[in-house]
């Protein structure tokens, strides 16, 4: 299955990969070089995520589902204690054997696993009667895995499981149930969302890395130009001083170095860049545009703001503002807050504030799975409305879902803006939504018991809040971690007191569900960190290659201009030798010979 996952995910990323592969090393407009075109992290992250769903998620959910089914079967009088223990032991043994096979890379055909799951869900559904939500969740790992691997084709899982289970229920004279359709279908939708998230995550990270690489390449090209053109008595100075000596009556002198300004302008337009490099490029073009030294300017980025990364449109807006302001002499440039790529930037050029608007097409989606967890929890709030579960009124469930999605979007915006520093705010918002969900669903609980157990709707919020707390825990202070635990305990105590029936010891097995997801969350974060490191390693190698190429290109651009000017000067010398003042001829020849010598050395 892991191999199948790699192949399928590669095919889903095919257009992006082919576009990257067609890009040559000289392309500076937002695409990548040959090192990143191979993109092994695309396949690595897909395989690692598929392996996570195949092993860790599979084992956690199966163990919890088996425990819940056995407890509910005993509480509902459908199995004796000894019968439940035997059935549970046999099923758990089967789960462990399948888990070990998958963990050690033994390929179990998906169709065989689907057939086994169909029989498993159908058998337990007949034994348990109603409700059969816990048995329906047995197939969730396979549904999630196939959604990651095969996309919408995974919808065959809920269809097959639902039909097989209801056929078994009909044969046993049991009523029809929508649960074996709904829960696997919900898991498939979660898998499709996760697959889309992974794709956006990789491409968003790639977009940021490519903008940084483009800026670094441009900065290296600038350094390459400076290595030739800046200094005491450079070859550029030498050929520039030689051209006026070639002047003859009636024939104007037009040095090919006049193309220098146009060359700079062409390189500046449409390039994402560091603020410092964008300022220096504009400064060079501005100062070279006129021989009037009084209008020259030197722009100096202060307080480390030179590393601010600007998008294409923001660079163009900055240049337009500089043209409008027409600064002179030494001007300090400051940025109050360095925001991520594409966000609104506030730059101060001297005493004049300049606003670079948010560049919506270049915005980077969140690279953090936290907001997506909150969003899934928000959609999961609709489960309160299921008549066989909590029987909360449907309008209330829809309102809870809308509030949760709004919290997820707000958290997404916060994390995009502030990264890991926003984790505390995101967790606080998730807990606040969880408190509202827990109190409202408990107060409006319409079905106090189900399957012989007390319904505890307030256990829904730990399904997303606890995994979030585990993932964000390392970024929070000790006080905030204690506050999160205290908030959960307070919600449990308050909502337990609001329940119309008392909570028994057997009811506490419902806590296993959030605990299973919480254990898996810590593993998921480590997986994402490891795969991001591998991804960054490839991008780092490509960035280094781009910097080297940019430096060489910068040098070559100046050398080409100087060589063009030198060749044109020699042609003019031959053509106009008789008309040039003989006093200057030895000096002209000496200077042109010196230019040739320096070009050869360079």
């Amino acid at each position: 299955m892991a191999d199948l996952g790699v192949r399928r995910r590669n095919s889903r990323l095919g257009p992006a990969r082919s576009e990257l592969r067609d890009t040559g090393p000289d392309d500076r407009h937002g695409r990548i070089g040959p090192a990143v075109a191979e993109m092994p992290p695309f396949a690595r992250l897909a395989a690692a995520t598929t392996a996570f769903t195949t092993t860790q998620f599979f084992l956690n959910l199966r163990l919890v589902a088996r425990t819940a089914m056995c407890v509910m079967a005993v509480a509902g009088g459908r199995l004796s204690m000894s019968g439940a223990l035997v059935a549970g032991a046999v099923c758990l043994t089967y789960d462990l054997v399948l888990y070990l096979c998958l963990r050690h890379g033994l390929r179990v055909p998906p169709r065989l696993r689907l057939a086994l799951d169909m029989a498993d869900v159908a058998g337990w559904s007949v034994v348990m009667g109603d409700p059969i939500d816990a048995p329906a969740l047995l197939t969730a790992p396979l549904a999630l895995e196939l959604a990651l691997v095969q996309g919408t084709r995974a919808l065959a899982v809920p269809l097959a499981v639902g039909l097989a289970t209801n056929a078994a229920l009909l044969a046993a004279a049991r009523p029809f149930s929508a649960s074996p359709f709904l829960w696997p279908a919900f898991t498939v939708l979660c898998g499709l969302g996760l697959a889309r998230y992974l794709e956006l995550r990789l491409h968003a990270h790639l977009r940021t890395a490519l903008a940084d690489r483009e800026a670094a390449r441009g900065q290296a090209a600038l350094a390459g130009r400076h290595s030739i053109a800046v200094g005491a008595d450079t070859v550029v100075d030498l050929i520039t001083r030689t051209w006026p000596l070639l002047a003859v009556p009636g024939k104007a002198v037009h040095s090919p170095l006049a193309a220098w300004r146009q060359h700079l302008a062409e390189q500046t337009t449409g390039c994402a860049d560091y603020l410092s490099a964008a300022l220096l490029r504009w400064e060079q073009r501005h100062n070279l545009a006129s021989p009037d030294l009084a209008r020259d300017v030197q722009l100096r980025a202060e307080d480390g703001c030179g590393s601010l990364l600007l998008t294409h449109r923001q660079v163009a807006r900055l240049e337009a503002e500089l043209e409008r302001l027409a600064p002179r002499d030494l001007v300090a440039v400051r940025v109050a807050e360095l925001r991520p790529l594409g966000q609104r930037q506030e730059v101060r050029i001297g005493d004049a504030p300049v606003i670079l608007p948010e560049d919506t097409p270049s915005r980077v989606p969140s690279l953090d799975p936290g907001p997506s967890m909150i969003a899934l929890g928000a959609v999961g709030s609709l489960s309160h409305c299921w008549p066989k579960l909590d029987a909360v009124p449907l309008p209330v469930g829809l309102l809870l879902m809308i509030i949760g999605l709004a919290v997820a979007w707000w958290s997404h915006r916060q994390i995009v803006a502030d990264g890991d520093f926003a984790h505390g705010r995101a967790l606080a918002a998730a807990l606040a939504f969880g408190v509202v969900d827990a109190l409202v669903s408990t107060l409006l609980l319409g079905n106090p018991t189900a399957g012989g157990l007390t319904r505890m709707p307030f256990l829904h919020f730990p399904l997303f809040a606890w995994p979030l707390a585990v993932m964000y825990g390392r970024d929070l202070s000790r006080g905030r971690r204690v506050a999160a635990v205290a908030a959960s305990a307070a919600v449990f105590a308050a909502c337990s007191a609001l329940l119309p029936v008392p909570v028994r010891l057997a009811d506490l097995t419902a806590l296993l569900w959030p605990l299973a997801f919480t254990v898996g969350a810590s593993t998921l974060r480590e997986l994402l960190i490891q795969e991001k490191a591998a991804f960054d390693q490839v991008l780092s190698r490509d960035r280094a290659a781009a910097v080297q190429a940019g430096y060489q290109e910068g040098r070559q651009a100046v050398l080409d201009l100087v060589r063009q000017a030198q060749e044109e000067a020699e042609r003019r010398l031959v053509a106009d030798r008789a008309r040039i003042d003989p006093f200057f001829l030895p000096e002209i020849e000496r200077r042109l010979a010196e230019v040739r010598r320096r070009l050869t050395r360079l």
Side-chain angles (χ1 to χ4, degrees), residues 11-45:
S11 67
R12 295 183 67 173
L13 293 169
R17 288 170 59 86
S18 62
E19 176 191 346
L20 302 181
R21 220 178 269 118
D22 292 340
T23 303
D26 294 331
D27 192 331
R28 302 183 64 249
H29 297 287
R31 293 187 289 264
I32 72 170
V36 186
E38 298 304 323
M39 277 301 154
F42 276 107
R44 282 192 49 156
L45 186 57

Side-chain angles (χ1 to χ4, degrees), residues 169-243:
L169 291 173
L170 181 63
R174 305 276 183 156
F176 172 86
S177 176
S179 296
F181 289 103
L182 293 179
W183 288 115
F186 176 73
T187 307
V188 169
L189 293 178
C190 291
L192 294 175
L194 179 59
R196 180 60 178 164
Y197 161 74
L198 288 174
E199 208 161 327
L200 287 176
R201 175 183 181 274
L202 288 170
H203 284 289
H205 187 56
L206 180 62
R207 168 187 276 172
T208 305
L210 294 182
D212 178 72
R213 190 209 69 165
E214 182 181 353
R217 183 185 183 120
Q219 197 170 51
L222 191 64
R225 289 200 299 269
H226 278 206
S227 68
I228 302 295
V230 178
D233 195 25
T234 65
V235 68
V236 176
D237 298 330
L238 185 59
I239 191 63
T240 301
R241 294 197 306 267
T242 303
W243 263 87

